[in-house]
Amino acid sequence: MDFKKFLPWIIVAVVVIGLFSWIKGINNTAVTYEQDINESWGNVQTAYQRRNDLIGNLVNTVKGAAEFEKSTLTAVISARAKATSITVDPTNVSPAQLAAFNSAQSGVSSSLSKLLVSVEKYPDLKANENFLKLQDELASTENQILTARTRFNEAVKPYNTHIKTFPNSLFAGMFGFKEKPYFEAAVGADKPVEVKF
């Protein structure tokens, strides 16, 4: 049996197996990173859901404890409803979807800030144990939201780097992997919320 006769076939087989392993590695790494993004997105949604749940309790506490301005409460309730109506699929998230989600959540943050500042006019409410507890819970939740958003961005970075780096970029598109957007600060987030009495 002549070994030299089979040498070209062996070389072709080694090259094909090596190429298959390399391409499989590109795909599987992208899948792993994408799953990290999905998990991080789930944590973002959980943090926002916690805030939305607390808002209902806060509004009821404020309503019951003070002759509170209806427009302020209505703004909070409306912002909460808008924020909960926007859903984002993390596997197919686009910059426009993330911007709409971010904008709706910013509306909640803004109206909540106005509500909490407006409470200053009501000494009985400020001393209400339920209100103080809810205020602390909201502050804690805002920190959780910030952490979840930061971790989401941290999960997006290695995924985007992996699929955009040459030669991975040649195959990522064929496998359906697209660049994911990052969370960015909402427009006007650098300015303090103006509250008028």
Side-chain angles (χ1 to χ4, degrees):
M1 189 165 170
D2 190 11
F3 179 72
K4 290 182 181 178
K5 183 177 176 185
F6 293 103
L7 187 60
W9 291 107
I10 293 171
I11 291 171
V12 167
V14 167
V15 168
V16 167
I17 290 169
L19 191 61
F20 172 77
S21 296
W22 176 63
I23 292 172
K24 182 180 89 168
I26 291 171
N27 180 70
N28 290 350
T29 302
V31 167
T32 300
Y33 286 148
E34 192 169 48
Q35 289 306 308
D36 291 343
I37 290 171
N38 294 346
E39 178 187 17
S40 296
W41 181 253
N43 293 336
V44 167
Q45 288 183 309
T46 300
Y48 279 118
Q49 183 61 51
R50 182 172 190 255
R51 179 174 73 176
N52 288 333
D53 293 344
L54 287 171
I55 287 171
N57 294 333
L58 179 70
V59 166
N60 288 334
T61 301
V62 170
K63 236 192 246 180
E67 291 295 318
F68 209 77
E69 291 91 348
K70 284 187 180 176
S71 62
T72 306
L73 288 174
T74 303
V76 172
I77 294 166
S78 173
R80 176 185 178 216
K82 182 178 178 188
T84 56
S85 70
I86 295 176
T87 55
V88 175
D89 175 11
T91 58
N92 201 20
V93 65
S94 70
Q97 289 174 322
L98 198 57
F101 179 85
N102 206 17
S103 174
Q105 296 300 337
S106 294
V108 174
S109 296
S110 176
S111 61
L112 259 180
S113 296
K114 290 175 184 173
L115 173 69
L116 294 174
V117 171
S118 298
V119 161
E120 295 298 317
K121 294 196 295 188
Y122 299 93
D124 292 345
L125 183 56
K126 287 195 307 185
N128 180 306
E129 191 176 317
N130 287 338
F131 177 77
L132 294 173
K133 185 177 177 191
L134 284 166
Q135 200 172 13
D136 286 344
E137 288 282 331
L138 278 170
S140 168
T141 301
E142 290 299 327
N143 287 333
Q144 288 177 12
I145 289 170
L146 174 63
T147 301
R149 286 172 55 135
T150 301
R151 289 187 179 149
F152 176 81
N153 283 349
E154 288 170 355
V156 167
K157 183 180 178 184
Y159 169 84
N160 282 349
T161 301
H162 178 73
I163 67 162
K164 291 180 76 178
T165 305
F166 182 82
N168 298 358
S169 58
L170 298 174
F171 298 100
M174 287 179 10
F175 297 140
F177 296 107
K178 296 180 220 157
E179 184 178 4
K180 307 278 188 196
Y182 290 96
F183 261 111
E184 296 177 357
V187 177
D190 55 335
K191 299 178 179 94
V193 177
E194 185 181 339
V195 179
K196 294 179 182 172
F197 295 106

